[in-house]
C-alpha cells in the first residue's frame, strides 16, 4: 500500500486555481522531489498533504488516514506526517531538547524518559547530539533547520515533507542540511521534498515530479527526467540557468 | 470647627491607600480572569465569538468608568439589588480592566508569529495544546510590559470610586481637606502617596520591557 496517495486534488485561493487535478503516489521508502517554477503549486501541494491547506476536491490518503474537504481526522493524519518549513519555526521559548520532546509528550503522551530518548536519537540522527540544552536563537540557520528536522523525526512519522528547507540558507549551511536529508533517505525514510536544488534532486530522489501551471507536467525516475526531459516546458525550466 | 493638618490627618490619608490597593488588586484579579477569557474569545476561530468579544471591548472602552460605576451602584440598587459601595466599585473597576487587559492580551497573542501556529499544528497539537505550550508562553513575554503599564493607570483610576462614597485615597484627601482647608498639604500628601505606589510599578515596567527586548533580538 502506498504511504501517500493523492487523487484528483484541486485547490483554489479565491478565484485562482492553484492545483488543477493532481494525482501522485508515494511508495514506502521512496524519495520524491517536486520541482517547478514559483507559483506552479508545488508548495501548496505539499501543504495540502498534511492539511495545512484545505483541498476543495479530490482525495488525499496518508498511511490509511483519509483527508477530504471536511477536514476530519486531521490530527491523526498529522501524527504520521512530519513537515519542515523554509523558516525552521522552532519554538523560541524552549531549548532544543524541549522543542523536540514537546509533541511526543503532549500529543503522543509518551513518558518523559522515552520522550528524552526519542529527542536524543533524533538529534543524533541530524548530527546535533551535543546541542540538547541550547537555545534555538543561539544556533546557526542550518543547525536550526536540522533541529526542525529532528523535531519532526521524534514523532516517528511515516513520511516527511520538506518545503524548500534550504532556500533561506547560504551554500555552506545548505550543504549541511542536504547532507542530513540524504542520510535520512539512506535510512529508508519516505520523503517528499519541494526543492530548487536540482543536483540534489537528481542524485537523491528516486522520482522527480515537474509541476507546471497547477498540474503534474512530467514525472519519472530522476535520472531519466533530468537526463531526457520530454516536454518543452521542462526543457526550458532546466535550461534556464539551473544547470 | 477647622482642624489643623497634623500627623493624624496625614496618617489617615496614607492609611486609606489600603482601599486603593485593595481595589486595584481585586480589579486585577477579577478583571484579569475575565480579560483572559475575552482575549481567548477575541482570537477564537469562530467569527461570531470574535465579534462578541470585540463588542464587549468596544462597549466597555466606549463608556466612561464613571458610568459603569453609576450603573452598578445606583442602577442595581434601583433594581432592588443592594450593593455595598466597595462591591460596586470592585465590579466596575474589574469590568473596566477586563476590556483593556483583554485587548492588550489579544494583541500579545496575535503578535506571536503565525508560523508558530502552523508548526505546532503540523505536530498534531490540538488548539488547546497550541495555546498552552506554544502560543501563550510567548504571548506572556510580550504582554508583561504593557500589562504592568496598565496597572499604573488602574491604580490612579481607582480614585473615581470616591464618587460613590468609598473612602480610598482620593476620597480621604477630600474629607481631610473639608475639615482642614489645607488643600496644598492634603492633596500634596495624596499625590505623593499615589506616586509612591505607581513609581515603582512604572520602573518595573520599563525594566521588564528593556530586559525582554534585550533577550530576544529580532
Amino acid at each position: 500500500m502506498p504511504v501517500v496517495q493523492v487523487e484528483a486534488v484541486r485547490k483554489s485561493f479565491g478565484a485562482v486555481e492553484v492545483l488543477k487535478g493532481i494525482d501522485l503516489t508515494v511508495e514506502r521508502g521512496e524519495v520524491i522531489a517536486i520541482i517547478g517554477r514559483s507559483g506552479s503549486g508545488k508548495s501548496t501541494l505539499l501543504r495540502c498533504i498534511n492539511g495545512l491547506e484545505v483541498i476543495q476536491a479530490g482525495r488525499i490518503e496518508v498511511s490509511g488516514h483519509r483527508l477530504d474537504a471536511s477536514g476530519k481526522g486531521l490530527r491523526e493524519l498529522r501524527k504520521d506526517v512530519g513537515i519542515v518549513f523554509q523558516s525552521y519555526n522552532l519554538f523560541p521559548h524552549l531549548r532544543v531538547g524541549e522543542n523536540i520532546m514537546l509533541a511526543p509528550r503532549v500529543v503522543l503522551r509518551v513518558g518523559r524518559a522515552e520522550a528524552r530518548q526519542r529527542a536524543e536519537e533524533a538529534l543524533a540522527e541530524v548530527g546535533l547530539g551535543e546541542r540538547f540544552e541550547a537555545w534555538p536563537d543561539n544556533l546557526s540557520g542550518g543547525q536550526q533547520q536540522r533541529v526542525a528536522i529532528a523535531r519532526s523525526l521524534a514523532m516517528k512519522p511515516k513520511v516527511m515533507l520538506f518545503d524548500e528547507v534550504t532556500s533561506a540558507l547560504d551554500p555552506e549551511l545548505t550543504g549541511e542540511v542536504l547532507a542530513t536529508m540524504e542520510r535520512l533517505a539512506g535510512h529508508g525514510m519516505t520523503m517528499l521534498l519541494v526543492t530548487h536544488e536540482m543536483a540534489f534532486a537528481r542524485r537523491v530522489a528516486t522520482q522527480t515530479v515537474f509541476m507546471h501551471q497547477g498540474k503534474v507536467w512530467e514525472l519519472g525516475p530522476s535520472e531519466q527526467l533530468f537526463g531526457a526531459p520530454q516536454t518543452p516546458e521542462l526543457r526550458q525550466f532546466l535550461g534556464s540557468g539551473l544547470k | 470647627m477647622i482642624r489643623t493638618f497634623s500627623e493624624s490627618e496625614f496618617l489617615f490619608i496614607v492609611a486609606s491607600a489600603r482601599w486603593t490597593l485593595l481595589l486595584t488588586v481585586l480589579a486585577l484579579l477579577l478583571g484579569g480572569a475575565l480579560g483572559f477569557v475575552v482575549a481567548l474569545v477575541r482570537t477564537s476561530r469562530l467569527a461570531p465569538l470574535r465579534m462578541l468579544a470585540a463588542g464587549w471591548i468596544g462597549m466597555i472602552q466606549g463608556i466612561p468608568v464613571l458610568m459603569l460605576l453609576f450603573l452598578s451602584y445606583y442602577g442595581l440598587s434601583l433594581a432592588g439589588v443592594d450593593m455595598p459601595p466597595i462591591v460596586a466599585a470592585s465590579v466596575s473597576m474589574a469590568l473596566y480592566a477586563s476590556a483593556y487587559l483583554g485587548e492588550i492580551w489579544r494583541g500579545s497573542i496575535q503578535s506571536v508569529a503565525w508560523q508558530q501556529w502552523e508548526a505546532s499544528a503540523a505536530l498534531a497539537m490540538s488548539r488547546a495544546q497550541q495555546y498552552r505550550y506554544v502560543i501563550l508562553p510567548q504571548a506572556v513575554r510580550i504582554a508583561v510590559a504593557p500589562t504592568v503599564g496598565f496597572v499604573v493607570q488602574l491604580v490612579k483610576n481607582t480614585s473615581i470610586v470616591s464618587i460613590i462614597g468609598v473612602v480610598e485615597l482620593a476620597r480621604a484627601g477630600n474629607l481631610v481637606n473639608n475639615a482642614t482647608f489645607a488643600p496644598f498639604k492634603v492633596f500634596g500628601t495624596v499625590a505623593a502617596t499615589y506616586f509612591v505606589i505607581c513609581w515603582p510599578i512604572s520602573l518595573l515596567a520599563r525594566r521588564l520591557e528593556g530586559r525582554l527586548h534585550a533577550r530576544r533580538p529580532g
Side-chain angles (χ1 to χ4, degrees):
Chain A
M1 202 182 90
V3 181
V4 179
Q5 218 167 352
V6 175
E7 273 176 35
V9 163
R10 288 178 175 274
K11 166 76 189 172
S12 305
F13 292 108
V16 185
E17 192 169 44
V18 182
L19 300 179
K20 301 171 181 167
I22 301 282
D23 295 288
L24 188 67
T25 303
V26 185
E27 299 290 344
R28 202 182 150 84
E30 264 192 318
V31 176
I32 297 196
I34 305 174
I35 60 171
R37 285 197 184 82
S38 302
S40 60
K42 52 195 195 309
S43 276
T44 304
L45 173 61
L46 211 62
R47 293 166 57 82
C48 285
I49 292 175
N50 77 339
L52 285 175
E53 304 288 352
V54 178
I55 58 176
Q56 269 99 32
R59 206 171 69 91
I60 292 175
E61 210 172 296
V62 183
S63 66
H65 308 294
R66 195 176 153 166
L67 200 63
D68 53 29
S70 78
K72 272 189 287 186
L74 192 55
R75 288 187 60 207
E76 286 308 308
L77 176 140
R78 283 175 173 164
K79 289 179 187 171
D80 286 336
V81 183
I83 185 165
V84 183
F85 303 95
Q86 182 179 332
S87 51
Y88 337 132
N89 306 345
L90 295 180
F91 305 133
H93 60 297
L94 298 177
R95 290 174 191 272
V96 162
E98 296 163 331
N99 257 277
I100 302 172
M101 288 163 66
L102 180 59
R105 275 181 62 76
V106 306
V107 176
L108 304 180
R109 306 205 157 278
V110 309
R112 193 170 178 85
E114 196 200 324
R116 184 166 179 112
Q117 195 191 339
R118 281 188 182 210
E120 282 168 354
E121 281 170 15
L123 271 181
E125 177 80 6
V126 301
L128 290 172
E130 76 291 0
R131 306 312 297 268
F132 197 91
E133 298 294 335
W135 290 100
D137 281 358
N138 295 338
L139 301 180
S140 74
Q143 290 174 327
Q144 287 191 50
Q145 193 59 294
R146 283 148 67 197
V147 172
I149 293 172
R151 185 173 65 177
S152 281
L153 285 179
M155 293 291 280
K156 301 200 191 292
K158 303 258 178 20
V159 56
M160 287 277 288
L161 312 177
F162 296 86
D163 188 6
E164 296 192 27
V165 295
T166 59
S167 299
L169 301 172
D170 66 39
E172 190 185 345
L173 300 180
T174 294
E176 82 183 41
V177 171
L178 291 181
T180 302
M181 289 165 66
E182 192 165 354
R183 180 145 67 137
L184 271 186
H187 291 180
M189 177 59 76
T190 309
M191 293 166 50
L192 205 54
L193 46 114
V194 167
T195 186
H196 292 296
E197 300 292 333
M198 296 302 147
F200 180 79
R202 186 170 187 167
R203 189 177 74 247
V204 177
T206 47
Q207 306 238 25
T208 295
V209 176
F210 172 59
M211 283 187 68
H212 185 66
Q213 294 180 349
K215 291 181 178 150
V216 172
W217 207 258
E218 213 172 315
L219 175 152
S222 302
E223 200 50 50
Q224 182 187 318
L225 191 121
F226 284 101
Q230 301 296 304
T231 58
E233 288 79 8
L234 178 54
R235 273 197 293 276
Q236 194 194 352
F237 177 70
L238 293 176
S240 55
L242 285 160
K243 275 187 178 155
Chain B
M1 190 190 98
I2 296 179
R3 298 171 59 167
T4 51
F5 184 77
S6 64
E7 195 187 331
S8 70
E9 279 75 22
F10 175 82
L11 288 177
F12 173 72
I13 289 174
V14 172
S16 63
R18 68 184 186 277
W19 294 105
T20 296
L21 290 172
L22 177 72
L23 266 172
T24 305
V25 169
L26 283 176
L28 262 183
L29 290 179
L30 299 173
L34 187 57
F36 183 64
V37 175
V38 170
L40 290 184
V41 174
R42 188 72 184 80
T43 53
S44 155
R45 271 176 303 185
L46 302 172
L49 284 180
R50 284 202 303 271
M51 281 164 63
L52 191 74
W56 175 260
I57 293 170
M59 186 181 78
I60 301 288
Q61 292 194 340
I63 300 175
V65 193
L66 190 59
M67 296 305 126
L68 290 178
L69 196 61
F70 285 167
L71 283 170
S72 56
Y73 186 57
Y74 300 117
L76 287 179
S77 61
L78 272 182
V81 183
D82 207 12
M83 215 188 255
I86 184 73
V87 175
S90 306
V91 169
S92 34
M93 292 313 290
L95 293 180
Y96 156 72
S98 77
Y100 282 87
L101 290 175
E103 186 69 356
I104 289 172
W105 295 342
R106 191 258 328 147
S108 306
I109 289 171
Q110 287 180 343
S111 55
V112 175
W114 62 269
Q115 289 94 338
Q116 294 287 307
W117 286 102
E118 202 166 83
S120 48
L123 288 165
M125 288 189 208
S126 67
R127 183 89 173 167
Q129 289 167 340
Q130 290 179 286
Y131 268 114
R132 163 80 178 75
Y133 298 105
V134 177
I135 304 301
L136 291 181
Q138 297 182 60
V140 164
R141 294 181 180 195
I142 300 167
V144 168
T147 301
V148 177
F150 173 74
V151 173
V152 175
Q153 301 299 317
L154 191 60
V155 171
K156 290 184 288 186
N157 284 345
T158 55
S159 61
I160 210 161
V161 309
S162 60
I163 287 198
I164 59 169
V166 177
V167 186
E168 40 63 75
L169 193 45
R171 175 79 174 163
N174 243 321
L175 292 177
V176 173
N177 184 51
N178 288 344
T180 60
F181 294 107
F184 207 74
K185 287 178 189 162
V186 170
F187 293 115
T189 306
V190 171
T193 310
Y194 274 116
F195 181 81
V196 166
I197 298 171
C198 292
W199 174 243
I201 306 177
S202 296
L203 278 185
L204 180 71
R206 208 172 308 161
R207 247 190 70 187
L208 288 171
E209 194 164 21
R211 190 165 63 183
L212 292 173
H213 281 228
R215 248 209 76 179
R216 211 150 283 297

